[in-house]
Amino acid sequence: MMRRLLIAFLCCLPGWVGAQINTDRVMAIARNALFFEDYVLSIQYFNQVISAKPYLYEPYFYRGIAKINLEDFQGAEADCTKAIERNPFVPGCYQIRGYARIRQHKVDGAIEDYKKALEYDPENSGLWNNLALCRIENKDYEGAKKDIDRLIALAPRESNAFLMRADVAMRQKDTLAAEKDIDKAIEVDAYNSTVWTARAVLRLQQAKYKEAEGDLDQAIHLAVKNADNYINRALARYHQNNLRGAMDDYDVALQIDPNNFIGHYNRGLLRAYVGDDNRAIEDFNFVIEQEPDNMMAIFNRGLLLDKTGDLRGAIKDYSTVIDEYPNFLTGYYYRAAARRKIGDRRGAEADELVLLRNQLDRYNGVKQQTAADHKTRKKSDRNMENYGKIVVADSDEDAPHYKNEYRGRVQDKNVRIAYQPMYALTYYEKPGNVRRTIHYYRYIDELNRDTLFAKPLLITNNEAPLTEQQVNEHFKWIDDHTASTASDNKTDAKLRFLRGLDFYLVQDFENAISDYTAAIVADDSFMPAYFDRALARYKQLEYQKAESQMDKNAGNVLPSGAPVVVKNADYELVKNDLDQVIKLAPDFAYAYYNRANLFAMLGDYHAAIVDYNKVLELDADFADAYYNRGLTYIYLGNNQQGIADLSKAGELGLFSAYNVIKRFTVHE
């Protein structure tokens, strides 16, 4: 049904001849959808191209990328294999298939893919990165070091490459080489929190706890929402006998990651050490709820119940542990004492008899299990004598390993400080944000009462991709709006706008712009058509600009096409539309905001600030405008004013502003 609907409406569009679909046109729309992360929609378009021309490699390749992002790794591998069968000379096909194989734990197959891709593209740093990580996975450390050396030669400012080589050195027990590489990573990129975390982990292993705490201070300063950094700093503070500081860190870690096992277990121990018994019980209750067979947590809870007077609850916990570990003498000792307190003399004497027999065994030279001397234990440790020790994360080897990521989700954007996006009039908004603001404008509210509008228009800069059901619905609405007849120009303008919005939502910007233009011709005072046409034109230009640089941005994994040169003058039409919106609706803050974003993107920061000022004059609580104006001030060198604006944005609920503030106030 979906295929018939798509063909039906596409055949009516410019550039379609008869029943033969224009695959170049559909392919362009599909890549639009892929670029703007509308993966379900893009797959449906790629299906159409494959159905019409199954001998082309590109739709299989791009459909594989979409499936990667939807975590359908088996399907992505199959699509890339089909692409390779049709054209075996495109390195990107091997790279994407290699990544899909990694995610299915087919490391050997991934290695072969990366080696093949490097035959065609030996300067691709992403390929060397993934090949080295695959070799590490296979414990081929010498091979991994050679690959990383090549990666560093290609990208000498890539801090993660040095961390990767440090990881290999630690696996080979070469601490000095690892430390040297981590120091180099810090020298290359001191604003990357990961490099400070890596050195802190190494210093924890070396028992340099004060130095580790200093490195973790810096890592937390740069990445305030990373729970692991607080967990590690708590460990460093614990080893320096700063129990209160350690508990503070566990508190913050658990605010960020409420289900963190180590955080709850260790905070429970520390609370017990300082006499905060009831709250310690709460922590161990959480651990036991998550891991009902965690005997050390059960025993610690038993000790705390004993101290707080719940003797029967304590005896129950002691008995649970003794049933699992019948040679755990400490359990018998505490259970005997608890049984005597409640008057269970027979039970107490039975436990004491076990202890007496053990004492006789010791006299006779029977070796007993004892706890190690150090203050921590691994999470997987099952020696009950270690029940009172702080837990540290497990590792397959004694050396600390550093997190390295395979590069394969080529649609992912580089982590960077960026402006909050432009606003749109649309139907869908992503749910689940901490900051949930309802954007209102009286004229849009009046439009939503019009019976022509089947869904209410939303003003949002957090657009949601369509589900398959929504895709089908909008294809149907395109047909419905096409078949509708208008009795007057104003009605026709609304119908054209609605069909333009349908085209926009299915990422067909060319037809969306055409319909928005038709709406304006029918009623040149219809402000929403200008507003959404500006956004459609902007997105179309941004996609064209990105496509011309796609090889570079995606690690040369995408097939090259004819370059599209986008000049600043091309954005003049976007500005003209926003100018017209402001003329028609001078109190519509979102038009000033979008125009300010356009100015900022073009590098005209002073004009951008003028428009952001106007936005905040109209709406003093516009968090995105504070955020973007703050970045603009910083780009102009006015950090003090920029940080003040970012602070206001954070106060209004745009919490990512605090991370940016820390980035620009980092301690040297």
Side-chain angles (χ1 to χ4, degrees):
M1 179 65 179
M2 179 64 243
R3 181 170 178 269
R4 288 198 300 271
L5 280 172
L6 185 61
I7 291 175
F9 94 82
L10 287 176
C11 286
C12 300
L13 302 181
W16 293 79
V17 180
Q20 180 63 46
I21 69 168
N22 184 332
T23 52
D24 289 341
R25 176 91 177 89
V26 178
M27 192 71 186
I29 299 171
R31 292 184 63 177
N32 273 344
L34 182 62
F35 178 76
F36 290 107
E37 301 180 359
D38 209 337
Y39 305 120
V40 172
L41 175 62
S42 71
I43 286 173
Q44 296 203 31
Y45 282 127
F46 291 130
N47 289 344
Q48 290 298 310
V49 179
I50 289 169
S51 178
K53 295 184 178 179
Y55 51 84
L56 295 177
Y57 84 93
E58 285 184 298
Y60 288 103
F61 170 72
Y62 286 111
R63 192 173 70 177
I65 293 176
K67 289 179 179 178
I68 285 278
N69 283 278
L70 292 171
E71 300 191 8
D72 177 9
F73 302 115
Q74 184 174 329
E77 180 186 2
D79 274 348
C80 288
T81 298
K82 290 175 181 175
I84 290 167
E85 289 170 356
R86 287 155 178 78
N87 186 347
F89 305 109
V90 180
C93 297
Y94 296 99
Q95 181 168 357
I96 299 303
R97 188 173 70 176
Y99 180 74
R101 285 175 166 175
I102 288 168
R103 297 302 300 270
Q104 298 174 82
H105 308 291
K106 300 177 180 178
V107 179
D108 291 333
I111 288 174
E112 292 306 311
D113 275 338
Y114 291 129
K115 287 165 65 176
K116 188 68 176 178
L118 284 165
E119 291 180 15
Y120 301 117
D121 190 6
E123 304 299 309
N124 187 323
S125 61
L127 292 171
W128 288 108
N129 178 87
N130 286 9
L131 180 59
L133 289 174
C134 286
R135 293 197 196 277
I136 292 172
E137 183 77 14
N138 275 357
K139 303 187 187 304
D140 178 10
Y141 300 134
E142 290 303 320
K145 279 167 63 174
K146 291 178 181 177
D147 292 338
I148 297 167
D149 289 345
R150 182 62 185 273
L151 172 59
I152 291 172
L154 289 170
R157 305 296 298 175
E158 181 72 61
S159 60
N160 286 333
F162 291 100
L163 292 186
M164 201 188 313
R165 194 165 66 181
D167 186 6
V168 174
M170 289 303 300
R171 292 169 188 263
Q172 295 181 310
K173 314 298 181 186
D174 189 349
T175 306
L176 291 176
E179 190 166 10
K180 181 180 177 181
D181 272 331
I182 294 171
D183 288 344
K184 181 65 177 177
I186 292 173
E187 177 188 328
V188 165
D189 187 4
Y191 293 99
N192 181 353
S193 67
T194 306
V195 299
W196 297 99
T197 301
R199 192 166 72 178
V201 170
L202 178 60
R203 286 176 167 175
L204 283 172
Q205 192 208 32
Q206 296 170 329
K208 297 178 180 178
Y209 301 118
K210 185 176 181 180
E211 293 90 339
E213 183 179 358
D215 284 341
L216 287 163
D217 288 343
Q218 192 74 327
I220 289 168
H221 188 79
L222 293 166
V224 71
K225 293 296 184 181
N226 187 322
D228 290 339
N229 284 333
Y230 291 97
I231 295 290
N232 284 333
R233 190 171 70 177
L235 180 61
R237 288 175 166 178
Y238 168 74
H239 280 290
Q240 298 174 80
N241 296 317
N242 180 4
L243 301 188
R244 289 292 180 184
M247 279 196 290
D248 288 343
D249 275 341
Y250 286 129
D251 287 343
V252 177
L254 290 169
Q255 288 174 10
I256 298 168
D257 180 10
N259 296 320
N260 190 291
F261 168 89
I262 291 177
H264 280 287
Y265 189 97
N266 289 351
R267 188 175 68 176
L269 284 180
L270 295 183
R271 282 174 167 175
Y273 291 163
V274 300
D276 190 358
D277 297 331
N278 288 318
R279 293 208 299 164
I281 290 170
E282 291 175 5
D283 276 328
F284 286 117
N285 283 340
F286 178 89
V287 172
I288 293 164
E289 183 180 340
Q290 299 296 313
E291 297 186 5
D293 60 347
N294 190 311
M295 295 299 134
M296 293 193 192
I298 292 171
F299 185 70
N300 277 303
R301 185 178 68 178
L303 293 175
L304 291 162
L305 293 172
D306 199 332
K307 286 178 66 178
T308 56
D310 184 359
L311 296 174
R312 294 190 182 278
I315 291 168
K316 182 179 178 182
D317 279 347
Y318 296 148
S319 299
T320 299
V321 175
I322 290 168
D323 289 344
E324 185 72 19
Y325 293 97
N327 296 321
F328 179 47
L329 301 177
T330 306
Y332 291 100
Y333 173 82
Y334 282 103
R335 189 171 70 176
R339 282 175 165 175
R340 282 204 177 277
K341 290 176 184 176
I342 65 170
D344 181 6
R345 191 177 67 179
R346 175 180 290 184
E349 289 175 349
D351 285 341
E352 289 162 353
L353 181 60
V354 173
L355 294 170
L356 178 61
R357 286 173 178 168
N358 175 262
Q359 193 173 24
L360 291 172
D361 285 341
R362 280 192 295 166
Y363 289 146
N364 293 326
V366 178
K367 186 176 181 181
Q368 303 296 321
Q369 186 181 47
T370 59
D373 292 335
H374 47 76
K375 299 170 69 174
T376 62
R377 69 174 178 86
K378 296 288 180 67
K379 185 174 182 292
S380 59
D381 187 353
R382 293 295 180 263
N383 181 356
M384 281 301 302
E385 299 298 335
N386 291 328
Y387 66 87
K389 293 183 176 180
I390 291 289
V391 177
V392 296
D394 288 318
S395 174
D396 294 336
E397 303 177 34
D398 292 334
H401 296 168
Y402 313 112
K403 183 179 179 181
N404 293 297
E405 294 187 353
Y406 291 99
R407 300 176 186 174
R409 293 170 61 93
V410 298
Q411 293 302 112
D412 288 354
K413 298 172 178 60
N414 293 330
V415 177
R416 59 186 176 88
I417 294 174
Y419 282 84
Q420 295 299 305
M422 290 192 175
Y423 277 81
L425 292 172
T426 183
Y427 298 131
Y428 308 107
E429 186 174 34
K430 289 180 182 177
N433 291 328
V434 175
R435 180 177 65 99
R436 183 72 172 91
T437 303
I438 304 299
H439 296 284
Y440 174 82
Y441 186 67
R442 181 173 50 81
Y443 177 65
I444 301 302
D445 185 52
E446 291 172 0
L447 273 183
N448 286 334
R449 298 173 190 168
D450 193 315
T451 56
L452 287 174
F453 288 74
K455 287 181 182 289
L457 291 174
L458 303 175
I459 307 171
T460 181
N461 66 343
N462 193 28
E463 298 177 75
L466 303 187
T467 65
E468 185 173 356
Q469 179 181 352
Q470 289 165 344
V471 170
N472 293 339
E473 185 175 45
H474 285 288
F475 283 147
K476 179 179 183 299
W477 285 6
I478 288 169
D479 287 338
D480 291 345
H481 291 137
T482 301
S484 297
T485 56
S487 58
D488 57 59
N489 281 351
K490 292 188 181 298
T491 302
D492 189 54
K494 292 176 181 178
L495 288 171
R496 289 287 193 155
F497 171 79
L498 289 170
R499 192 175 71 170
L501 182 52
D502 290 325
F503 278 124
Y504 171 84
L505 288 168
V506 297
Q507 304 290 338
D508 186 348
F509 297 138
E510 185 176 324
N511 279 295
I513 292 168
S514 176
D515 269 341
Y516 291 144
T517 301
I520 291 166
V521 170
D523 180 3
D524 61 5
S525 67
F526 190 61
M527 176 270 286
Y530 291 102
F531 187 72
D532 268 8
R533 186 173 71 174
L535 185 64
R537 282 173 165 167
Y538 175 78
K539 284 193 171 185
Q540 187 178 52
L541 289 169
E542 286 295 282
Y543 169 69
Q544 290 172 355
K545 185 166 66 175
E547 188 180 42
S548 69
Q549 301 172 344
M550 193 79 77
D551 288 349
K552 178 180 178 181
N553 293 343
N556 295 326
V557 301
L558 302 182
S560 297
V564 179
V565 179
V566 178
K567 301 177 182 178
N568 286 0
D570 295 329
Y571 290 92
E572 190 66 25
L573 290 174
V574 180
K575 178 182 173 297
N576 291 343
D577 277 342
L578 293 171
D579 290 344
Q580 190 64 24
V581 175
I582 290 168
K583 181 179 178 181
L584 292 168
D587 60 341
F588 191 56
Y590 307 98
Y592 294 99
Y593 173 89
N594 282 7
R595 192 172 69 179
N597 275 20
L598 180 66
F599 284 138
M601 186 275 296
L602 295 174
D604 190 350
Y605 297 127
H606 293 287
I609 286 175
V610 170
D611 271 347
Y612 289 132
N613 290 344
K614 183 63 178 179
V615 174
L616 294 169
E617 179 186 318
L618 292 167
D619 182 355
D621 293 328
F622 204 123
D624 297 279
Y626 280 110
Y627 184 96
N628 289 359
R629 190 176 71 175
L631 289 184
T632 306
Y633 276 126
I634 287 171
Y635 294 153
L636 286 171
N638 188 348
N639 278 31
Q640 183 176 359
Q641 183 61 52
I643 289 171
D645 273 349
L646 290 166
S647 177
K648 183 64 176 178
E651 176 187 316
L652 291 169
L654 220 170
F655 300 118
S656 59
Y658 293 118
N659 288 335
V660 181
I661 291 172
K662 288 181 179 293
R663 182 81 174 262
F664 284 101
T665 56
V666 63
H667 299 308
E668 296 296 336

